[in-house]
Amino acid sequence: MEGTSSGLRAIQEASSLDLEVLKLPKGFLKIVEAILAFIAFVVLASFDTELKFRKTCGDKDVSRAVKFGYPFEFSDPVSLPLCENYNTTQNGANFGHDNVSSSPRFFVFTGVLSLLYAMLALGCYCFVANILQAKQQLGCKLDMVGNAVLTVLWFAASCALWKADSDIQYYTQPKMLFTNIAECADAACSVTDEPNYAEITLAICFGFISVIAWGGNVYFLLKDTPWFDQVTARLGGGTKYSESRQPGRVPGMQNVQTPEYNPSM
């Protein structure tokens, strides 16, 4: 029973909450990464806007609105005809393009994945760092590789969404809708309220800021791995990073001898 109780006590001590790591760059940046990822994918996933237009039918104006948003599948058509006495076989019309949902979905996927990864990493930093101390080098390597992969994903997702933003604004122009509505031929329809794309632009900005945050954290995580020692050794950096972190040791001073005092001098 004594062995069991001592083992449980060791686990409790090892898994105690340690917030000191949050003062380090890798811990602080993990919090920043999680916040940026949350804002980026929530802003895009909640995007919703509409294009409003009207047509004069005799002595009255008929208004219609086309709503669209994430994931930009353009599946909400305008009900037709606009005028009750207009003879047409159309019962609905849209922008004439299927969807541009692949890039926005990829962006949101990257944001959700990054948030989950950042939360998992913070949990490991704060609760089980001591348990994993024996395998610290492996954990640092995996963390650095994970950050590097997510940096690439954020860059690719942000560039893809940037391109998709141009496509969305092009395909949702009023003229793209009016060309598919026979009643709007010859400028018979007029726009009363244009779509607002500011949230997409904001999501793109947070995406590229995330690239900087995740990419910057790769450097600090690299310094905790043996790979950093190998790189500095090849570049002639002198003392290894791990040696410079040992208590009581001044980097580059381990071989310096203090001259003895000679009274005769």
Side-chain angles (χ1 to χ4, degrees):
M1 294 297 292
E2 293 182 359
T4 303
S5 60
S6 61
L8 291 174
R9 192 181 305 111
I11 293 175
Q12 291 176 354
E13 293 176 356
S15 60
S16 59
L17 180 63
D18 181 15
L19 298 180
E20 291 298 318
V21 70
L22 301 182
K23 299 178 181 179
L24 301 176
K26 69 176 184 179
F28 173 75
L29 283 175
K30 273 291 181 294
I31 299 176
V32 175
E33 291 166 354
I35 295 174
L36 290 174
F38 178 78
I39 295 176
F41 84 79
V42 167
V43 167
L44 183 61
S46 61
F47 176 81
D48 186 26
T49 187
E50 61 183 6
L51 168 64
K52 295 181 179 180
F53 66 97
R54 70 168 179 260
K55 176 180 172 56
T56 301
C57 298
D59 58 350
K60 67 176 182 179
D61 290 338
V62 177
S63 299
R64 290 286 191 275
V66 184
K67 294 183 179 181
F68 61 93
Y70 179 83
F72 307 100
E73 294 180 341
F74 306 133
S75 57
D76 188 12
V78 180
S79 60
L80 297 176
L82 301 175
C83 300
E84 296 179 357
N85 59 350
Y86 188 81
N87 186 15
T88 179
T89 57
Q90 284 185 297
N91 56 12
N94 212 315
F95 293 104
H97 191 77
D98 291 338
N99 65 78
V100 290
S101 62
S102 58
S103 295
R105 288 181 188 274
F106 177 51
F107 187 90
V108 171
F109 166 78
T110 302
V112 174
L113 181 64
S114 299
L115 178 61
L116 294 177
Y117 180 86
M119 298 301 292
L120 177 63
L122 283 172
C124 292
Y125 290 169
C126 296
F127 291 99
V128 296
N130 294 330
I131 295 177
L132 300 176
Q133 188 173 7
K135 299 182 179 180
Q136 184 177 7
Q137 290 187 352
L138 177 60
C140 291
K141 289 179 180 179
L142 293 176
D143 196 10
M144 195 215 72
V145 172
N147 268 257
V149 170
L150 285 168
T151 301
V152 175
L153 286 178
W154 270 117
F155 182 75
S158 299
C159 291
L161 184 60
W162 191 2
K163 174 61 171 61
D165 184 29
S166 300
D167 294 338
I168 292 168
Q169 294 193 37
Y170 175 77
Y171 290 121
T172 56
Q173 296 180 86
K175 67 178 183 180
M176 300 297 290
L177 176 64
F178 295 162
T179 54
N180 296 314
I181 302 177
E183 294 178 77
C184 291
D186 300 326
C189 297
S190 59
V191 178
T192 58
D193 191 7
E194 294 188 356
N196 185 356
Y197 306 96
E199 292 180 20
I200 303 179
T201 304
L202 183 62
I204 294 172
C205 292
F206 276 104
F208 282 111
I209 294 174
S210 296
V211 174
I212 298 173
W214 287 88
N217 205 10
V218 171
Y219 171 74
F220 295 106
L221 293 171
L222 176 63
K223 294 179 71 174
D224 290 337
T225 67
W227 295 332
F228 184 81
D229 295 340
Q230 297 171 7
V231 172
T232 52
R234 290 179 180 178
L235 296 178
T239 306
K240 293 184 178 180
Y241 177 82
S242 58
E243 292 178 354
S244 66
R245 286 290 188 267
Q246 295 182 12
R249 171 172 290 187
V250 179
M253 299 294 292
Q254 57 269 31
N255 295 324
V256 177
Q257 297 181 356
T258 305
E260 297 181 359
Y261 173 72
N262 188 350
S264 63
M265 296 178 64

